[in-house]
């Protein structure tokens, strides 16, 4: 039954004729399937992964879609990364997602609530096992630090970045990178 529902919802997100509002609403339904009564369903999370959901939803997170749709896409993808090493690695190395997150975090035109959800995805990516993957350290770490000190970044996004830095600092091999970027002060607050 869950398989059919995941397939149905992903088809709605993938259908070009559907509006961003409809696609975003379907994303939220997928999110609700993964979080049931505040308990993460790894079974449903795996279903979304197996049906190619990461790429389908990542496409909705790209610049050009509505703020509502991008917000829902990032929120759902952040849940995909939560407590699942395989999904985190898949998300970290997804080219579509890395581009959309980069734009969301660096563009002054990004709505604050969309920027915060993009940072939330990266924060959850950092839950992956050590050693942290090269893409997380070499691409996302500098991007998140740039976001932390950006003049247009908001406090909610900044909080996500600090949580990300705490997680990534658990890997001893990344500690020297954090020192290079001189971000130890925000970590100690």
């Amino acid at each position: 039954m869950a398989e059919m529902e995941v397939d149905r919802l992903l088809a709605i997100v993938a259908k070009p004729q559907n509006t961003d509002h409809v696609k975003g609403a379907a994303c939220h339904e997928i999110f609700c399937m993964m979080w049931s009564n505040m308990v993460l369903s790894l079974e449903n999370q795996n279903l979304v992964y197996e049906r190619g959901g990461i790429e389908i939803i990542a496409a909705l997170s790209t610049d050009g879609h509505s703020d509502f749709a991008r917000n829902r896409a990032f929120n759902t993808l952040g849940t995909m990364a939560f407590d699942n090493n395989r999904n985190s690695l898949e998300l970290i190395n997804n080219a579509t997602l890395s581009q959309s997150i980069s734009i969301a975090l660096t563009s002054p035109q990004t709505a604050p609530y969309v920027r915060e959800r993009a940072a939330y995805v990266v924060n959850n990516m950092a839950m992956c096992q050590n050693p942290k993957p090269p893409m997380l350290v070499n691409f996302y770490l500098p991007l998140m630090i740039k976001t932390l000190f950006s003049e247009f970044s908001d406090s909610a996004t900044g909080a996500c970045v600090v949580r990300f830095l705490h997680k990534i600092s658990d890997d001893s091999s990344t500690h020297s990178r954090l020192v290079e970027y001189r971000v130890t002060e925000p970590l100690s607050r």
Side-chain angles (χ1 to χ4, degrees):
M1 198 61 189
E3 292 95 333
M4 291 175 64
E5 185 63 2
V6 167
D7 286 343
R8 184 185 74 81
L9 292 168
L10 286 175
I12 291 171
V13 177
K15 189 174 181 180
Q17 292 86 349
N18 286 336
T19 66
D20 276 1
H21 189 82
V22 169
K23 292 179 180 184
C27 264
H28 186 63
E29 288 301 314
I30 294 169
F31 165 83
C32 290
M33 286 186 71
M34 290 189 283
W35 278 109
S36 178
N37 297 320
M38 298 305 293
V39 176
L40 182 67
S41 169
L42 290 175
E43 184 180 348
N44 287 343
Q45 195 187 56
N46 287 331
L47 274 176
V48 177
Y49 169 84
E50 288 159 10
R51 300 303 207 269
I54 288 177
E55 186 60 40
I56 291 169
I57 299 168
L60 187 62
S61 74
T62 55
D63 190 37
H65 288 287
S66 71
D67 289 344
F68 172 80
R70 292 170 74 202
N71 173 266
R72 293 302 193 192
F74 284 136
N75 195 49
T76 305
L77 292 170
T79 302
M80 289 292 294
F82 199 87
D83 206 26
N84 189 317
N85 193 60
R86 181 199 63 190
N87 287 350
S88 290
L89 293 173
E90 196 74 25
L91 288 161
I92 289 165
N93 294 309
N94 185 285
T96 304
L97 184 58
S98 63
Q99 183 178 24
S100 66
I101 287 176
S102 179
I103 291 169
L105 293 180
T106 59
S107 172
Q109 282 75 44
T110 304
Y113 74 104
V114 175
R115 184 181 297 114
E116 187 272 339
R117 287 293 90 179
Y120 164 78
V121 178
V122 185
N123 174 44
N124 283 358
M125 286 175 178
M127 297 174 87
C128 67
Q129 296 167 4
N130 294 338
K132 303 301 184 191
M135 183 71 175
L136 193 68
V137 176
N138 299 325
F139 177 78
Y140 283 110
L141 176 57
L143 177 63
M144 291 290 264
I145 291 168
K146 181 180 178 181
T147 300
L148 183 63
F149 296 108
S150 168
E151 61 186 86
F152 52 82
S153 189
D154 56 281
S155 58
T157 300
C160 268
V161 175
V162 171
R163 286 194 292 272
F164 164 81
L165 293 173
H166 273 291
K167 288 186 180 82
I168 205 166
S169 67
D170 287 344
D171 182 355
S172 58
S173 66
T174 65
H175 188 72
S176 60
R177 296 295 300 274
L178 291 169
V179 172
E180 281 173 36
Y181 288 116
R182 301 183 182 193
V183 293
T184 49
E185 187 181 343
L187 285 175
S188 65
R189 287 177 190 164

